[in-house]
Amino acid sequence: MRSLSYKRVFDRSLLGSVIAHYKSLASISAQIKIAYREYVLKKGSPSIIPIEIDTVQRAEFENAYSNKPIGAGLSWISELYINGLNSCPFCGGDGARTIEHYLPQASYPEFSVYSLNLLPSCGSCNSKRNSLNAHGAATSPLHPYFDKHILNKLNAYTVVSLDCGVIGFYLSYDHSPFTEEEQFRIDYHMEISLDETSYINRTLDSLETLRISSEKYSTPMEFRTEVIDDQIYISERKKDYNSWHHALCKGLANLSDDELQIIFGDSFGARASAPSLGRLRNLTP
Ligand SMILES: [Zn+2]
């Protein structure tokens, strides 16, 4: 969960090429331009009233988005898939290999190829939200371009619980910088974006990687500075804010040394005492 920098696309100029390619849209070009302006003014709110279009126009918008013809000036959409994002801006899961229509196409075909409405997202949260943000929705998920003031303050972390020796996880965040209204939106955003199974699996995998790293260290204190703090630093330098790995490391940083000892104690020092695989290989005649 993080904000994104917007790479400016000149939508209003491109609209001419789209209309030259999809002629049925010519009769509503003025309404589309007004809708684009309203999207900015209302920051993608689902209170925007959809423009009236017929079935042919709807089909042409769908075709424009699906085929992204170069002749219609839409090749930039394909570039959204090549984004270098390690984590999904919406949920913090792995990568962002699909495109989210923030205002869904079914409700708002006019924003099908509008750059501010097209956002990189992972597949699992994209399909989970589906068309929830349709016209008239009372609350919206956080918009990575427009909700920077919330996302840049959002500090999500994994609460690691130890119940009878069984490790449990859930995602929480520091509530203190936010108003009640903002908290309501963040809670809603997390509820409709977080795929629990993906989150737990990713977190278990991250924990296992950290456990292997812990074998090089002999005390919780060393492990905290050399691994946990280092991983938090790396995530933040990469602007990989609130990825599930980052959230887990922040959650572990919140634990006491005794609690870290309970989770990682069996692994501390294991690598120093065991011969490495490389050394074993060299001993083989
Ligand atoms: Zn996601």
Side-chain angles (χ1 to χ4, degrees):
M1 284 164 285
R2 51 170 289 195
S3 65
L4 290 178
S5 310
Y6 174 59
K7 291 194 187 81
R8 185 156 171 73
V9 172
F10 292 91
D11 293 281
R12 281 164 65 91
S13 324
L14 282 176
L15 190 57
S17 313
V18 175
I19 287 167
H21 210 85
Y22 296 101
K23 304 243 177 328
S24 77
L25 304 178
S27 61
I28 50 166
S29 78
Q31 287 104 303
I32 299 171
K33 280 182 191 160
I34 293 167
Y36 282 4
R37 198 177 317 132
E38 215 185 347
Y39 191 102
V40 176
L41 291 173
K42 295 195 171 169
K43 299 176 179 173
S45 163
S47 67
I48 296 169
I49 296 166
I51 64 176
E52 281 182 28
I53 65 166
D54 61 33
T55 48
V56 176
Q57 290 161 338
R58 179 178 288 274
E60 295 224 301
F61 267 126
E62 279 169 17
N63 189 304
Y65 175 69
S66 304
N67 297 317
K68 315 172 199 2
I70 296 170
L74 295 175
S75 54
W76 61 270
I77 297 175
S78 304
E79 290 161 23
L80 293 175
Y81 293 97
I82 315 288
N83 50 47
L85 291 168
N86 183 48
S87 66
C88 170
F90 284 90
C91 71
D94 288 348
R97 297 176 187 89
T98 66
I99 295 171
E100 158 98 357
H101 282 90
Y102 183 79
L103 289 180
Q105 269 186 298
S107 229
Y108 292 97
E110 63 269 40
F111 299 129
S112 294
V113 293
Y114 180 50
S115 67
L116 284 166
N117 196 47
L118 269 53
L119 291 149
S121 163
C122 77
S124 66
C125 75
N126 194 343
S127 58
K128 187 174 178 188
R129 277 184 305 274
N130 197 6
S131 286
L132 278 177
N133 203 30
H135 172 54
T139 313
S140 287
L142 298 169
H143 194 301
Y145 296 144
F146 290 118
D147 289 310
K148 275 188 164 55
H149 61 293
I150 295 178
L151 285 162
N152 291 353
K153 284 188 289 184
L154 186 65
N155 175 18
Y157 58 90
T158 285
V159 177
V160 183
S161 61
L162 284 163
D163 218 358
C164 306
V166 177
I167 297 179
F169 312 109
Y170 69 89
L171 196 64
S172 186
Y173 64 97
D174 176 11
H175 288 57
S176 59
F178 301 112
T179 63
E180 257 181 57
E181 200 182 316
E182 287 170 336
Q183 287 177 34
F184 184 75
R185 271 200 75 200
I186 297 166
D187 293 343
Y188 176 76
H189 176 98
M190 285 168 71
E191 189 191 317
I192 64 166
S193 300
L194 201 76
D195 180 276
E196 282 292 329
T197 310
S198 304
Y199 165 69
I200 296 287
N201 282 333
R202 183 72 187 89
T203 302
L204 282 169
D205 181 62
S206 281
L207 190 76
E208 191 51 26
T209 304
L210 294 168
R211 186 186 298 287
I212 294 166
S213 298
S214 77
E215 293 174 354
K216 271 168 73 181
Y217 304 94
S218 47
T219 64
M221 219 196 310
E222 262 185 295
F223 173 60
R224 185 188 294 280
T225 34
E226 298 298 328
V227 180
I228 300 177
D229 292 352
D230 197 51
Q231 290 290 310
I232 294 171
Y233 175 78
I234 291 169
S235 293
E236 293 179 359
R237 280 295 303 271
K238 286 162 70 182
K239 297 191 174 140
D240 200 21
Y241 299 113
N242 301 318
S243 69
W244 295 340
H245 179 71
H246 187 212
L248 174 65
C249 291
K250 286 185 281 179
L252 291 171
N254 290 338
L255 299 181
S256 67
D257 285 354
D258 286 348
E259 287 168 318
L260 288 178
Q261 182 69 38
I262 293 169
I263 300 173
F264 297 99
D266 291 349
S267 309
F268 287 145
R271 221 186 297 183
S273 53
S276 75
L277 288 178
R279 264 189 278 156
L280 280 178
R281 232 177 271 126
N282 289 340
L283 292 174
T284 312

